[in-house]
Amino acid sequence: NMTKLKVFSLFLALSIIINFVPVPARAVYDQATAVSYLKSKPLDEWSVMALSSTDSLSGVNIDFLKSDPGNKPTDIEKRILAIVAAEADPETFGQVNLTSKLLANFNGTEINSNLASNLLNDDVFGLLALSAANQNSEVRGKLASFIKQNQNTDGGWSYTYKGNPSDSNDTAMAIMALLSNGESTSSGAINNAFNYLASTKTSTGYSFDATSGFGPDSASTSWALSALKAASSVAPGA
């Protein structure tokens, strides 16, 4: 079911769509204004996902998604997410088989390449991409295990390995990645992660982290709300 495959890539799009909207429109979200704004700008993977989330891709030329995104794992991953959001197959839509290209960077434990080291966000987005495309459950399971092994003691995640300070953005993404692979909403990893997110919540939104004193911002709030929405879409204990 393509709708099921799209769901977590669309949560990603919803988490960033507010950041595409001109400042005056942010106070009250207006879908028509956001869509019009996105269509007036050069397309990228994120805008394709956002337009798809609002059923606004009709008539939009997405041929740029057929080009080779290069060898950086995170570029391959966001391309896969965009293609799936556009209801196409990342193995056949473009010039290269993107799932095979991504899996070539898997070393048996994590997504790794000479272009990046010590990163966790490439594993998080790798799990999201492979889950959205419904590909290679064995690799997805290993990525999920690696992500959970790198959860900090405060329940959050960083964009790098365990031990670096947690932040709400990467924690929200890790939540969505694990849920996309079938992690129970009541698991210890997910409960601890939401406890960390709660520590970043303020009276008006979510901040980047719990300790640095940053105030709430639209990106952090969007990511956190997307993780909460993702969890609410999954049956308890699923």
Side-chain angles (χ1 to χ4, degrees), residues 108-196:
T109 302
E110 62 170 318
I111 301 291
N112 195 17
S113 78
N114 293 330
L115 299 175
S117 62
N118 203 41
L119 291 180
L120 190 65
N121 64 348
D122 53 2
D123 304 298
V124 169
F125 275 102
L127 180 54
L128 279 164
L130 292 172
S131 295
N134 198 27
Q135 292 293 322
N136 209 306
S137 60
E138 181 181 356
V139 171
R140 281 161 33 204
K142 291 180 178 179
L143 287 174
S145 294
F146 186 72
I147 291 166
K148 287 189 284 188
Q149 288 166 15
N150 280 279
Q151 187 172 22
N152 284 324
T153 56
D154 61 10
W157 280 273
S158 168
Y159 72 96
T160 56
Y161 292 169
K162 181 178 182 178
N164 288 301
S166 301
D167 66 80
S168 60
N169 299 20
D170 287 288
T171 299
M173 287 186 282
I175 289 171
M176 288 188 282
L178 292 173
L179 292 176
S180 75
N181 193 52
E183 184 80 15
S184 169
T185 56
S186 60
S187 76
I190 297 299
N191 281 333
N192 291 337
F194 276 119
N195 285 337
Y196 173 77

Coordinates of all heavy atoms in Angstrom, one line a residue, residues 108-196:
G108 N 27.4 -3.5 7.7 CA 27.0 -4.6 8.5 C 26.4 -4.2 9.9 O 25.7 -4.9 10.5
T109 N 26.7 -2.9 10.2 CA 26.2 -2.4 11.5 C 25.5 -1.0 11.3 O 24.5 -0.8 11.9 CB 27.4 -2.2 12.5 OG1 28.0 -3.4 12.7 CG2 26.9 -1.6 13.8
E110 N 26.1 -0.2 10.5 CA 25.6 1.1 10.3 C 25.8 1.6 8.9 O 26.6 1.0 8.1 CB 26.3 2.1 11.3 CG 27.8 2.2 11.0 CD 28.4 3.3 11.8 OE1 27.9 4.4 11.9 OE2 29.5 3.1 12.3
I111 N 25.2 2.7 8.5 CA 25.5 3.4 7.3 C 26.8 4.2 7.5 O 27.0 5.0 8.4 CB 24.4 4.4 6.9 CG1 23.1 3.7 6.7 CG2 24.8 5.2 5.6 CD1 23.0 2.8 5.5
N112 N 27.8 3.9 6.6 CA 29.1 4.5 6.8 C 29.8 4.6 5.4 O 29.5 3.9 4.5 CB 30.0 3.6 7.7 CG 31.2 4.3 8.2 OD1 31.3 5.5 8.2 ND2 32.2 3.5 8.6
S113 N 30.5 5.7 5.3 CA 31.3 5.9 4.0 C 32.5 6.8 4.3 O 32.6 7.3 5.4 CB 30.4 6.6 3.0 OG 30.3 8.0 3.3
N114 N 33.3 6.9 3.3 CA 34.5 7.8 3.5 C 34.1 9.2 3.5 O 35.0 10.1 3.9 CB 35.5 7.5 2.3 CG 36.1 6.1 2.3 OD1 36.2 5.5 3.4 ND2 36.4 5.6 1.1
L115 N 32.9 9.5 3.2 CA 32.5 10.9 3.2 C 32.0 11.4 4.5 O 31.9 12.6 4.8 CB 31.3 11.1 2.2 CG 31.6 10.8 0.7 CD1 30.4 10.9 -0.1 CD2 32.7 11.7 0.2
A116 N 31.7 10.5 5.4 CA 31.2 10.9 6.8 C 31.6 9.8 7.8 O 31.5 8.7 7.5 CB 29.7 11.1 6.7
S117 N 32.0 10.2 9.0 CA 32.3 9.3 10.0 C 31.7 9.8 11.3 O 31.5 11.0 11.5 CB 33.8 9.1 10.2 OG 34.4 10.3 10.5
N118 N 31.4 8.9 12.2 CA 30.9 9.2 13.6 C 29.5 9.8 13.5 O 29.1 10.4 14.5 CB 31.9 10.2 14.3 CG 31.7 10.2 15.8 OD1 31.6 9.1 16.4 ND2 31.8 11.3 16.4
L119 N 28.8 9.7 12.4 CA 27.5 10.3 12.3 C 26.4 9.3 12.6 O 26.6 8.1 12.3 CB 27.2 10.9 10.9 CG 28.0 12.1 10.4 CD1 27.6 12.5 9.0 CD2 27.8 13.2 11.4
L120 N 25.4 9.7 13.3 CA 24.2 8.9 13.5 C 23.0 9.3 12.7 O 22.2 8.5 12.4 CB 23.8 9.0 15.0 CG 22.8 8.0 15.5 CD1 23.3 6.6 15.4 CD2 22.3 8.3 16.9
N121 N 23.0 10.6 12.2 CA 21.8 11.0 11.5 C 21.7 10.3 10.1 O 20.6 10.1 9.6 CB 21.7 12.5 11.3 CG 22.9 13.1 10.5 OD1 23.9 12.4 10.2 ND2 22.8 14.4 10.2
D122 N 22.9 9.8 9.6 CA 22.8 9.1 8.3 C 22.1 7.7 8.6 O 21.5 7.2 7.7 CB 24.1 8.9 7.6 CG 25.2 8.4 8.6 OD1 25.0 8.0 9.7 OD2 26.4 8.3 8.1
D123 N 22.3 7.1 9.8 CA 21.6 5.9 10.1 C 20.1 6.1 10.3 O 19.3 5.3 9.9 CB 22.3 5.3 11.3 CG 23.7 5.1 11.1 OD1 24.1 4.3 10.3 OD2 24.5 5.7 11.9
V124 N 19.8 7.2 11.0 CA 18.4 7.6 11.2 C 17.6 7.8 9.9 O 16.6 7.2 9.7 CB 18.3 8.8 12.1 CG1 16.9 9.3 12.2 CG2 18.8 8.5 13.5
F125 N 18.2 8.6 9.0 CA 17.6 8.8 7.8 C 17.6 7.6 6.9 O 16.7 7.4 6.0 CB 18.2 10.0 7.1 CG 17.6 11.3 7.5 CD1 18.2 12.1 8.4 CD2 16.3 11.7 7.1 CE1 17.7 13.3 8.9 CE2 15.8 12.9 7.5 CZ 16.4 13.7 8.4
G126 N 18.7 6.8 7.0 CA 18.7 5.5 6.3 C 17.6 4.6 6.7 O 17.0 4.0 5.8
L127 N 17.3 4.5 8.0 CA 16.2 3.7 8.4 C 14.9 4.2 7.9 O 14.0 3.5 7.5 CB 16.2 3.6 9.9 CG 15.1 2.7 10.6 CD1 15.1 1.3 10.0 CD2 15.3 2.7 12.1
L128 N 14.7 5.5 8.0 CA 13.5 6.1 7.5 C 13.3 5.9 6.0 O 12.2 5.5 5.5 CB 13.5 7.6 7.7 CG 13.1 8.1 9.1 CD1 13.6 9.6 9.3 CD2 11.6 8.0 9.3
A129 N 14.4 6.0 5.2 CA 14.3 5.8 3.8 C 14.0 4.4 3.4 O 13.1 4.1 2.6 CB 15.6 6.2 3.1
L130 N 14.7 3.4 4.0 CA 14.4 2.0 3.7 C 13.0 1.6 4.2 O 12.4 0.8 3.5 CB 15.5 1.1 4.4 CG 16.9 1.3 3.8 CD1 17.9 0.5 4.6 CD2 17.0 0.8 2.3
S131 N 12.6 2.1 5.3 CA 11.2 1.8 5.8 C 10.2 2.4 4.8 O 9.2 1.7 4.5 CB 11.0 2.4 7.2 OG 11.8 1.7 8.1
A132 N 10.4 3.6 4.4 CA 9.4 4.3 3.4 C 9.4 3.5 2.1 O 8.3 3.3 1.6 CB 9.9 5.7 3.1
A133 N 10.5 3.0 1.7 CA 10.6 2.2 0.4 C 10.2 0.7 0.7 O 10.1 -0.1 -0.3 CB 11.9 2.3 -0.2
N134 N 10.0 0.3 1.9 CA 9.7 -1.1 2.3 C 10.8 -2.0 1.8 O 10.5 -3.1 1.2 CB 8.3 -1.5 1.8 CG 7.8 -2.7 2.5 OD1 8.1 -2.9 3.6 ND2 6.9 -3.4 1.8
Q135 N 12.0 -1.7 2.0 CA 13.2 -2.5 1.5 C 14.0 -3.0 2.7 O 14.3 -2.3 3.6 CB 14.0 -1.6 0.6 CG 13.3 -1.2 -0.7 CD 13.1 -2.4 -1.6 OE1 13.9 -3.4 -1.7 NE2 11.9 -2.4 -2.3
N136 N 14.5 -4.2 2.5 CA 15.5 -4.9 3.3 C 15.3 -4.8 4.8 O 15.9 -4.0 5.5 CB 16.9 -4.3 3.0 CG 18.0 -5.3 3.2 OD1 18.1 -5.8 4.3 ND2 18.8 -5.5 2.2
S137 N 14.4 -5.6 5.3 CA 14.0 -5.6 6.7 C 15.2 -6.0 7.6 O 15.3 -5.6 8.7 CB 12.9 -6.6 6.9 OG 13.2 -7.9 6.5
E138 N 16.2 -6.8 7.0 CA 17.3 -7.2 7.9 C 18.2 -6.0 8.2 O 18.6 -5.8 9.3 CB 18.1 -8.3 7.1 CG 19.3 -8.8 7.9 CD 20.1 -9.9 7.2 OE1 19.7 -10.3 6.1 OE2 21.2 -10.3 7.7
V139 N 18.5 -5.3 7.1 CA 19.3 -4.1 7.4 C 18.6 -3.1 8.2 O 19.2 -2.5 9.1 CB 19.7 -3.4 6.0 CG1 20.4 -2.1 6.2 CG2 20.7 -4.3 5.2
R140 N 17.3 -2.9 8.0 CA 16.5 -2.0 8.9 C 16.6 -2.4 10.3 O 16.8 -1.5 11.2 CB 15.1 -1.9 8.4 CG 14.9 -1.1 7.2 CD 13.6 -1.3 6.4 NE 12.5 -1.7 7.2 CZ 11.5 -2.5 6.7 NH1 11.5 -2.8 5.4 NH2 10.5 -2.8 7.4
G141 N 16.5 -3.7 10.6 CA 16.6 -4.2 12.0 C 18.0 -3.8 12.6 O 18.1 -3.4 13.8
K142 N 19.1 -4.0 11.8 CA 20.4 -3.7 12.3 C 20.6 -2.2 12.6 O 21.2 -1.8 13.5 CB 21.4 -4.2 11.4 CG 21.5 -5.7 11.4 CD 22.6 -6.3 10.4 CE 22.6 -7.8 10.4 NZ 23.6 -8.3 9.5
L143 N 20.0 -1.4 11.7 CA 20.1 0.1 11.9 C 19.3 0.5 13.1 O 19.8 1.3 13.9 CB 19.5 0.8 10.6 CG 20.4 0.8 9.4 CD1 19.7 1.4 8.2 CD2 21.8 1.5 9.6
A144 N 18.1 -0.1 13.3 CA 17.3 0.2 14.5 C 18.1 -0.1 15.7 O 18.1 0.6 16.7 CB 16.0 -0.5 14.4
S145 N 18.8 -1.3 15.7 CA 19.6 -1.7 16.9 C 20.7 -0.7 17.2 O 21.0 -0.3 18.3 CB 20.1 -3.1 16.7 OG 19.1 -4.0 16.7
F146 N 21.4 -0.3 16.1 CA 22.5 0.7 16.2 C 22.0 2.0 16.8 O 22.7 2.6 17.6 CB 23.2 0.8 14.9 CG 24.4 1.7 14.9 CD1 25.6 1.2 15.5 CD2 24.4 3.0 14.4 CE1 26.7 1.9 15.6 CE2 25.6 3.7 14.5 CZ 26.7 3.2 15.0
I147 N 20.9 2.5 16.3 CA 20.3 3.7 16.8 C 20.0 3.6 18.2 O 20.3 4.5 19.0 CB 19.1 4.1 15.9 CG1 19.4 4.5 14.5 CG2 18.3 5.3 16.6 CD1 18.3 4.5 13.5
K148 N 19.4 2.5 18.7 CA 19.0 2.4 20.1 C 20.3 2.3 20.9 O 20.3 2.8 22.1 CB 18.1 1.2 20.3 CG 16.7 1.5 19.8 CD 15.7 0.4 20.1 CE 15.9 -0.9 19.3 NZ 14.8 -1.9 19.5
Q149 N 21.3 1.7 20.4 CA 22.6 1.6 21.2 C 23.2 2.9 21.4 O 24.0 3.1 22.3 CB 23.6 0.7 20.4 CG 23.2 -0.8 20.4 CD 24.0 -1.6 19.4 OE1 25.0 -1.2 18.9 NE2 23.5 -2.8 19.1
N150 N 22.9 3.9 20.5 CA 23.5 5.2 20.6 C 22.5 6.2 21.3 O 22.7 7.4 21.1 CB 23.9 5.7 19.2 CG 25.2 5.1 18.9 OD1 26.3 5.6 19.3 ND2 25.2 4.0 18.1
Q151 N 21.5 5.7 21.9 CA 20.6 6.6 22.7 C 21.3 7.1 24.0 O 21.9 6.3 24.7 CB 19.3 5.9 23.0 CG 18.2 6.8 23.7 CD 16.9 6.1 23.8 OE1 16.9 4.8 23.8 NE2 15.8 6.8 23.9
N152 N 21.3 8.4 24.2 CA 22.0 8.9 25.4 C 21.2 8.5 26.7 O 20.0 8.2 26.6 CB 22.1 10.4 25.3 CG 23.2 10.8 24.4 OD1 24.3 10.1 24.3 ND2 23.0 11.9 23.7
T153 N 21.9 8.6 27.8 CA 21.2 8.2 29.1 C 20.1 9.2 29.4 O 19.2 8.8 30.2 CB 22.3 8.3 30.2 OG1 22.9 9.6 30.3 CG2 23.3 7.2 30.0
D154 N 20.0 10.4 28.9 CA 18.9 11.3 29.1 C 17.7 10.9 28.2 O 16.7 11.6 28.3 CB 19.3 12.7 29.0 CG 19.8 13.1 27.5 OD1 19.7 12.3 26.6 OD2 20.3 14.2 27.4
G155 N 17.8 9.9 27.4 CA 16.7 9.5 26.5 C 16.8 10.1 25.1 O 16.0 9.6 24.3
G156 N 17.6 11.1 24.9 CA 17.7 11.7 23.6 C 18.8 11.2 22.7 O 19.5 10.3 23.1
W157 N 18.9 11.8 21.5 CA 19.9 11.4 20.6 C 20.6 12.7 20.1 O 20.0 13.8 20.1 CB 19.4 10.7 19.4 CG 19.1 9.2 19.6 CD1 20.0 8.2 19.4 CD2 17.8 8.6 19.9 NE1 19.3 7.0 19.7 CE2 18.0 7.2 20.0 CE3 16.6 9.2 20.2 CZ2 17.0 6.3 20.3 CZ3 15.5 8.3 20.6 CH2 15.8 6.9 20.6
S158 N 21.8 12.5 19.6 CA 22.6 13.6 19.0 C 22.6 13.2 17.5 O 22.3 12.1 17.1 CB 24.0 13.7 19.6 OG 24.8 14.5 18.7
Y159 N 23.2 14.1 16.7 CA 23.4 13.8 15.3 C 24.6 12.9 15.1 O 24.9 12.3 14.0 CB 23.5 15.0 14.4 CG 24.8 15.8 14.5 CD1 25.9 15.6 13.7 CD2 25.0 16.7 15.6 CE1 27.1 16.3 13.8 CE2 26.1 17.4 15.7 CZ 27.2 17.2 14.9 OH 28.4 17.9 15.0
T160 N 25.4 12.7 16.2 CA 26.5 11.9 16.2 C 26.3 10.8 17.2 O 25.3 10.6 17.8 CB 27.8 12.6 16.5 OG1 27.7 13.3 17.7 CG2 28.2 13.6 15.4
Y161 N 27.4 10.0 17.4 CA 27.3 8.8 18.3 C 26.9 9.2 19.7 O 27.0 10.4 20.2 CB 28.6 8.0 18.3 CG 28.9 7.3 17.0 CD1 30.2 6.8 16.9 CD2 28.0 7.2 16.0 CE1 30.6 6.2 15.7 CE2 28.4 6.6 14.8 CZ 29.7 6.1 14.6 OH 30.0 5.4 13.5
K162 N 26.5 8.2 20.5 CA 26.2 8.3 21.9 C 27.3 9.0 22.7 O 28.5 8.8 22.4 CB 26.0 6.9 22.5 CG 25.6 6.9 24.0 CD 25.4 5.5 24.5 CE 25.0 5.5 25.9 NZ 24.7 4.1 26.4
G163 N 26.9 9.9 23.6 CA 27.9 10.7 24.4 C 28.0 12.1 24.0 O 28.4 13.0 24.9
N164 N 27.5 12.5 22.8 CA 27.4 13.9 22.5 C 26.1 14.4 22.9 O 25.1 13.7 23.0 CB 27.6 14.1 21.0 CG 29.1 13.9 20.6 OD1 30.0 14.6 21.1 ND2 29.3 12.9 19.7
P165 N 25.9 15.7 23.2 CA 24.7 16.2 23.8 C 23.5 15.9 22.9 O 23.5 16.1 21.7 CB 25.0 17.7 23.9 CG 26.4 17.8 24.0 CD 27.0 16.8 23.1
S166 N 22.4 15.5 23.6 CA 21.1 15.3 22.9 C 20.5 16.6 22.4 O 20.8 17.7 23.0 CB 20.1 14.6 23.8 OG 20.6 13.4 24.3
D167 N 19.7 16.5 21.4 CA 18.9 17.7 21.0 C 17.5 17.2 20.5 O 17.3 16.0 20.2 CB 19.6 18.5 19.9 CG 19.7 17.7 18.6 OD1 18.7 17.6 17.8 OD2 20.8 17.1 18.3
S168 N 16.5 18.1 20.6 CA 15.1 17.7 20.3 C 15.0 17.3 18.8 O 14.2 16.4 18.5 CB 14.2 18.8 20.6 OG 14.5 20.0 19.8
N169 N 15.7 17.9 17.9 CA 15.5 17.6 16.5 C 15.9 16.2 16.1 O 15.2 15.4 15.5 CB 16.4 18.6 15.6 CG 15.9 20.0 15.8 OD1 15.3 20.4 16.8 ND2 16.3 20.9 14.9
D170 N 17.2 15.8 16.6 CA 17.6 14.5 16.3 C 16.8 13.4 17.1 O 16.6 12.3 16.6 CB 19.1 14.4 16.5 CG 19.9 15.1 15.5 OD1 20.0 14.6 14.4 OD2 20.5 16.2 15.8
T171 N 16.4 13.8 18.2 CA 15.6 12.8 19.0 C 14.3 12.6 18.3 O 13.8 11.4 18.2 CB 15.3 13.4 20.4 OG1 16.6 13.5 21.1 CG2 14.5 12.5 21.2
A172 N 13.6 13.6 17.8 CA 12.4 13.4 17.1 C 12.5 12.6 15.9 O 11.7 11.7 15.6 CB 11.8 14.8 16.8
M173 N 13.6 12.8 15.1 CA 13.9 12.0 13.9 C 14.1 10.6 14.3 O 13.6 9.7 13.6 CB 15.1 12.6 13.2 CG 14.8 13.9 12.5 SD 16.1 14.5 11.4 CE 17.2 15.2 12.7
A174 N 14.9 10.3 15.3 CA 15.1 8.9 15.8 C 13.8 8.2 16.2 O 13.6 7.1 15.8 CB 16.1 8.9 16.9
I175 N 13.0 9.0 16.9 CA 11.7 8.4 17.2 C 10.9 7.9 16.0 O 10.4 6.8 15.9 CB 10.8 9.4 18.0 CG1 11.4 9.6 19.4 CG2 9.4 8.9 18.1 CD1 10.8 10.7 20.2
M176 N 10.8 8.8 15.0 CA 10.1 8.5 13.8 C 10.7 7.4 13.0 O 10.1 6.5 12.4 CB 10.0 9.8 12.9 CG 9.0 10.8 13.4 SD 8.7 12.2 12.3 CE 10.2 13.2 12.6
A177 N 12.1 7.3 13.0 CA 12.8 6.2 12.3 C 12.5 4.9 13.0 O 12.1 3.9 12.3 CB 14.3 6.5 12.3
L178 N 12.5 4.8 14.3 CA 12.3 3.6 15.0 C 10.8 3.2 14.8 O 10.5 2.0 14.6 CB 12.6 3.7 16.5 CG 14.1 3.9 16.8 CD1 14.3 4.2 18.3 CD2 14.9 2.6 16.4
L179 N 9.9 4.1 14.9 CA 8.5 3.8 14.7 C 8.2 3.3 13.3 O 7.4 2.4 13.1 CB 7.6 5.0 15.0 CG 7.5 5.5 16.5 CD1 6.7 6.7 16.6 CD2 7.0 4.4 17.4
S180 N 8.9 3.9 12.3 CA 8.7 3.4 11.0 C 9.1 2.0 10.7 O 8.6 1.3 9.8 CB 9.5 4.3 10.0 OG 10.9 4.0 10.0
N181 N 10.0 1.5 11.6 CA 10.4 0.1 11.5 C 9.7 -0.8 12.4 O 10.0 -2.0 12.6 CB 11.9 0.0 11.8 CG 12.5 -1.3 11.4 OD1 12.4 -1.8 10.3 ND2 13.2 -2.0 12.3
G182 N 8.6 -0.3 13.0 CA 7.8 -1.2 13.8 C 8.0 -1.2 15.3 O 7.5 -2.0 16.1
E183 N 8.9 -0.3 15.8 CA 9.1 -0.2 17.2 C 7.8 0.2 18.0 O 7.0 1.0 17.5 CB 10.1 1.0 17.5 CG 10.6 1.1 18.9 CD 11.6 0.1 19.4 OE1 12.2 -0.5 18.5 OE2 11.8 0.0 20.6
S184 N 7.6 -0.5 19.1 CA 6.4 -0.3 19.9 C 6.4 1.1 20.4 O 7.4 1.6 20.9 CB 6.3 -1.3 21.0 OG 5.3 -0.9 21.9
T185 N 5.3 1.8 20.4 CA 5.1 3.1 21.0 C 5.3 3.1 22.5 O 5.6 4.1 23.2 CB 3.8 3.7 20.7 OG1 2.7 2.9 21.2 CG2 3.6 4.0 19.2
S186 N 5.2 1.9 23.1 CA 5.4 1.8 24.6 C 6.8 1.2 24.9 O 7.0 0.8 26.1 CB 4.3 0.9 25.1 OG 4.3 -0.4 24.6
S187 N 7.7 1.1 24.0 CA 9.0 0.5 24.3 C 9.8 1.5 25.2 O 9.5 2.7 25.2 CB 9.8 0.2 23.0 OG 10.3 1.4 22.5
G188 N 10.8 0.9 25.9 CA 11.6 1.8 26.7 C 12.3 2.9 26.0 O 12.4 4.0 26.4
A189 N 12.8 2.5 24.8 CA 13.5 3.5 24.0 C 12.6 4.7 23.6 O 13.0 5.9 23.7 CB 14.1 2.9 22.7
I190 N 11.4 4.4 23.2 CA 10.5 5.5 22.8 C 10.0 6.3 24.0 O 9.9 7.5 24.0 CB 9.3 4.9 22.0 CG1 9.7 4.2 20.7 CG2 8.2 5.9 21.7 CD1 10.4 5.1 19.7
N191 N 9.7 5.6 25.1 CA 9.2 6.3 26.3 C 10.3 7.2 26.8 O 10.1 8.4 27.1 CB 8.9 5.3 27.4 CG 7.5 4.7 27.2 OD1 6.6 5.3 26.6 ND2 7.3 3.5 27.7
N192 N 11.6 6.8 26.8 CA 12.7 7.6 27.3 C 12.9 8.8 26.3 O 13.2 9.9 26.8 CB 14.0 6.8 27.4 CG 13.9 5.8 28.5 OD1 13.1 5.9 29.5 ND2 14.7 4.7 28.4
A193 N 12.7 8.5 25.0 CA 12.9 9.6 24.1 C 11.8 10.7 24.2 O 12.2 11.9 24.2 CB 12.8 9.0 22.6
F194 N 10.6 10.3 24.5 CA 9.6 11.3 24.7 C 9.8 12.0 26.0 O 9.4 13.2 26.1 CB 8.2 10.7 24.6 CG 7.7 10.6 23.2 CD1 7.4 9.3 22.6 CD2 7.5 11.7 22.4 CE1 6.9 9.2 21.3 CE2 7.0 11.6 21.1 CZ 6.7 10.4 20.6
N195 N 10.3 11.3 27.0 CA 10.7 12.0 28.2 C 11.7 13.1 28.0 O 11.6 14.2 28.6 CB 11.2 11.0 29.3 CG 10.1 10.2 29.9 OD1 8.9 10.6 29.9 ND2 10.4 9.0 30.4
Y196 N 12.7 12.8 27.1 CA 13.7 13.8 26.8 C 13.0 15.0 26.0 O 13.3 16.2 26.4 CB 14.8 13.3 25.9 CG 15.7 14.4 25.5 CD1 16.6 15.0 26.3 CD2 15.6 14.9 24.2 CE1 17.4 16.0 26.0 CE2 16.3 16.0 23.8 CZ 17.3 16.6 24.7 OH 18.0 17.7 24.3

